[in-house]
Amino acid sequence: QESPPLYTKEEVYSHRSPETGIWVTLGSEVFDVTEFVELHPGGPSKLMLAAGGPLEPFWALYAIHNQPHVYELLAQYKIGELKPEDSAPPTLETSDPYAHDPMRHPALKVNSQRPFNAEPPPELLTENYITPNPIFFTRNHLPVPNLDPDTYRLHIVGPPGGQSLSLSLCDLYMFPKHEVTVTLQCAGNRRSEMTQVKEVRGLEWRTGAISTARWAGARLCDVLAQAGHQLSEKEAHVCFEGLDSDPTGTAYGASIPLARAMDPEAEVLLAYEMNGQPLPRDHGFPVRVVVPGVVGARHVKWLGRVSVEPEESYSHWQRRDYKGFSPSVDWDTVDFDSAPSIQELPIQSAITEPRDGETIESGEVIVKGYAWSGGGRAVIRVDVSLDGGLTWHAADLDAEKQPPRKAWAWRLWQLQASVPAGQKELNIVCKAVDDSYNVQPDTVAPIWNLRGVLSNAWHRVHVHVTS
Ligand code: HEM
Ligand code: MTE
């Protein structure tokens, strides 16, 4: 019996385009699926996410593949096996502060490896209303701390005359468990479109710095009340500190107004579960803050300390970042103290399918995307244009019902439209409206700002049409 040809991981990885052929692996087996890509029932673009590497992380997300007929189909494309030494787990350098960061899903588009910042590709982002944990966008400023759930303690500083608390995870489980579906969006989502107007400082997020999960935990108001805090008359802020810190020992920190923290209807959580699982390490294990309707930066992960202060957090990320400015303000003239820190975010929407630059067939087009607004404001409509904004169609919104003033999660939307015969290209545009009738600005230039935050202009995608 002949032994099958052996390949290295590098050889497999060099086969990920139509020119080289498209290879994938499952276990130690190697497959050339070039001919199958166009036939894939889940669409070519999804299969291509796994091109040049292992199928397991993708098939774990889409368990529909876990059936005999799928394995039989794949077997027809087998061309050989991986060399045995290529199955060994990768080695890590120990001096590297990021060496103990967790493993990540290969579908994530990485904007920075250290610290880890990554977003799901658009065609996976709107595949599910609830974003699967492995592809939820990740925004880290520092290495991921490695916390032991048995010795973990959350410090809640009490008021004068009150009582400070040092809560174990078990203590936290004793508070009533509250669950809420919340969309988290980074202030820098869609920054790459601002960069096209003029350079900005920041990571090049595309449309994926946004994701949705079902979070569960104790309500912050219940925990603060136990420590003796009350909603006092004077202005106050709840400050959060993470257990991730830089080499000088400075921790990530942020704050929210006490009024929001103490309002049971605002549903601010000390979350220990994400989609029914303990929080993944990248998303704050074992406890993070979830502040529905508010910018991601305030959802402090790896939470270590909570205190009530007369002033906002003195953290760099509260005072020297995550603020909006006029387009004419530059790094020489910026006065960070002159602008409020971002809390609630403005109305946002984006197209996830088709992709910019894609070629589609004439006849019919399906446009998909998401829409969300901050502060619990509900998305009431998404308008989609195929002709650059001359004429508009109302998209179909998913049927997820949300209580009034507490629309904490996004709406996914879709539009099915016919493409007029002879049309060579489409300029697809989307814009959403919330229940305060806030709308998105039509272009990016007038909202450009030096840090590239709050990028929420009409989203535009250009596609070619073949007849
Ligand atoms: C569906 C094969 C890679 C996402 C399917 C089905 C088959 C298949 C046979 C239909 C299953 C059924 O309905 O019983 C394959 C093969 C792959 C591959 C042979 C690799 C060579 C991928 C990857 C992804 C993916 C990498 C995601 C990133 C999907 C999805 C569906 C699907 C979402 C469901 C489509 C629907 O509900 O209409 N695939 N697949 N597939 N596949 Fe794959
Ligand atoms: N909390 C800590 N401790 N450290 C961080 O770097 N990043 C913040 C916030 N909480 C951060 C943090 C920012 S800017 C965002 S957008 C969200 O976490 C991202 O949460 P995610 O990685 O779970 O998507």
Side-chain angles (χ1 to χ4, degrees), residues 202-214:
L203 296 162
E204 285 290 291
W205 296 105
R206 283 154 285 181
T207 52
I210 183 168
S211 299
T212 299
R214 183 119 184 110

Side-chain angles (χ1 to χ4, degrees), residues 136-142 184-186 215 242-244 252 282-283 288 296-302 322:
F136 198 98
F137 88 94
T138 300
R139 181 24 175 154
N140 294 341
H141 292 83
L142 296 160
L184 220 124
Q185 182 182 214
C186 185
W215 307 92
L243 293 164
D244 49 339
Y252 185 88
D282 262 331
H283 301 291
R288 83 175 302 168
R298 314 299 166 219
H299 300 228
V300 176
K301 305 193 272 190
W302 314 291
Y322 299 113

Side-chain angles (χ1 to χ4, degrees), residues 20-87:
T20 57
I22 290 147
W23 295 10
V24 294
T25 64
L26 188 70
S28 59
E29 297 182 303
V30 180
F31 306 89
D32 178 348
V33 294
T34 317
E35 300 295 310
F36 176 71
V37 174
E38 287 299 321
L39 308 173
H40 177 227
S45 69
K46 289 212 178 61
L47 195 159
M48 285 304 289
L49 294 168
L55 286 169
E56 282 89 343
F58 297 90
W59 283 13
L61 276 180
Y62 297 101
I64 192 167
H65 298 98
N66 194 9
Q67 306 182 64
H69 82 93
V70 179
Y71 290 101
E72 281 161 27
L73 186 152
L74 185 64
Q76 299 170 32
Y77 298 101
K78 179 164 173 180
I79 54 167
E81 298 197 347
L82 281 175
K83 291 192 171 158
E85 61 270 27
D86 267 25
S87 318

Side-chain angles (χ1 to χ4, degrees), residues 339-422:
S341 58
I342 301 170
Q343 295 281 343
E344 294 183 358
L345 283 169
I347 177 83
Q348 175 69 288
S349 71
I351 299 160
T352 53
E353 281 180 62
R355 306 272 307 250
D356 193 39
E358 199 176 305
T359 302
I360 61 164
E361 277 172 36
S362 65
E364 197 169 70
V365 60
I366 296 179
V367 187
K368 286 189 189 180
Y370 63 75
W372 179 76
S373 191
R377 288 176 287 277
V379 169
I380 58 164
R381 202 179 77 227
V382 175
D383 298 325
V384 178
S385 172
L386 303 180
D387 55 13
L390 294 174
T391 60
W392 298 93
H393 312 260
D396 296 320
L397 300 182
D398 67 39
E400 299 290 335
K401 277 273 164 286
Q402 306 192 43
R405 297 189 309 286
K406 293 180 20 166
W408 307 130
W410 64 12
R411 303 290 295 271
L412 300 184
W413 54 264
Q414 171 161 342
L415 176 82
Q416 200 164 344
S418 52
V419 179

